[in-house]
Amino acid sequence: AQSVTQLGSHVSVSEGALVLLRCNYSSSVPPYLFWYVQYPNQGLQLLLKYTTGATLVKGINGFEAEFKKSETSFHLTKPSAHMSDAAEYFCAVSRSGGSYIPTFGRGTSLIVHP
Amino acid sequence: DSGVTQTPKHLITATGQRVTLRCSPRSGDLSVYWYQQSLDQGLQFLIHYYNGEERAKGNILERFSAQQFPDLHSELNLSSLELGDSALYFCASSAGTAPLEQYFGPGTRLTVT
């Protein structure tokens, strides 16, 4: 079975500060990993994904994530937070057990202070 | 705008009733996925259809059913509704059978009173 743990249901940063959202996964096979963002009253939007190849993945809006197999992690970072980054962020894992249906974490709410 | 449309946006109904949620996938996408999002359960996968055929089932209750029509739109039917069914229901679509990039609709917020 596959699972995702997002550490911290809320993360608060100041505008201009580093954003770090943590995600750890468990998977019995090499995983596919995703980060999605959900703005208020909207559906989820794919930020970035890792399938194979380069372990540092760049996404939209200046976000990036690094797949670390030894740490079973896929943390999301952004060097400088903007007010517009305030949203709910979801990490997801798929591919384990022959299923490509992603399992989502519980989400982390990013709060950006001026 | 993801290109995925869902109707209605909001639905308020009473316990015991039946409702139908509708989803139109992005143009060209053959897969439709349904998810339920609630505060206590998070985002839960319900069911996946590809080109009219059911491909995978998740934590979908027997009171819930879905189908995908020849024009690729999909409907999620929820019956004998309970208070605990109140949630956001999302539809997502993808081009192929593997959801390597899913496009989510804006969701339908269901409130059961």
Side-chain angles (χ1 to χ4, degrees), chain A residues 32 34 36 38 41-46 49 51 88 90 94 99-106, chain B residues 33 35 37-43 45 48 56 88 90 98-106:
Chain A
Y32 291 167
F34 309 82
Y36 281 85
Q38 184 181 25
N41 301 314
Q42 294 185 28
L44 281 69
Q45 179 185 2
L46 182 66
K49 66 178 183 285
T51 53
E88 190 84 14
F90 293 90
S94 79
S99 169
Y100 286 84
I101 301 297
T103 297
F104 286 83
R106 296 302 300 268
Chain B
Y33 311 81
Y35 291 88
Q37 186 180 40
S38 61
L39 281 175
D40 51 341
Q41 296 290 328
L43 194 65
F45 165 69
H48 169 212
L88 262 172
F90 286 106
L100 294 184
E101 187 156 348
Q102 290 182 300
Y103 295 85
F104 281 77

Side-chain angles (χ1 to χ4, degrees), chain A residues 69-81:
Chain A
K69 184 180 177 182
S70 61
E71 299 177 8
T72 62
S73 69
F74 191 58
H75 302 331
L76 182 70
T77 60
K78 182 174 180 178
S80 176

Side-chain angles (χ1 to χ4, degrees), chain A residues 1-33:
Chain A
Q2 59 196 20
S3 66
V4 175
T5 302
Q6 291 185 239
L7 296 175
S9 58
H10 294 83
V11 169
S12 182
V13 300
S14 298
E15 193 173 20
L18 172 72
V19 175
L20 171 60
L21 304 182
R22 299 177 187 273
C23 172
N24 288 88
Y25 69 91
S26 92
S27 175
S28 56
V29 298
Y32 291 167
L33 295 159

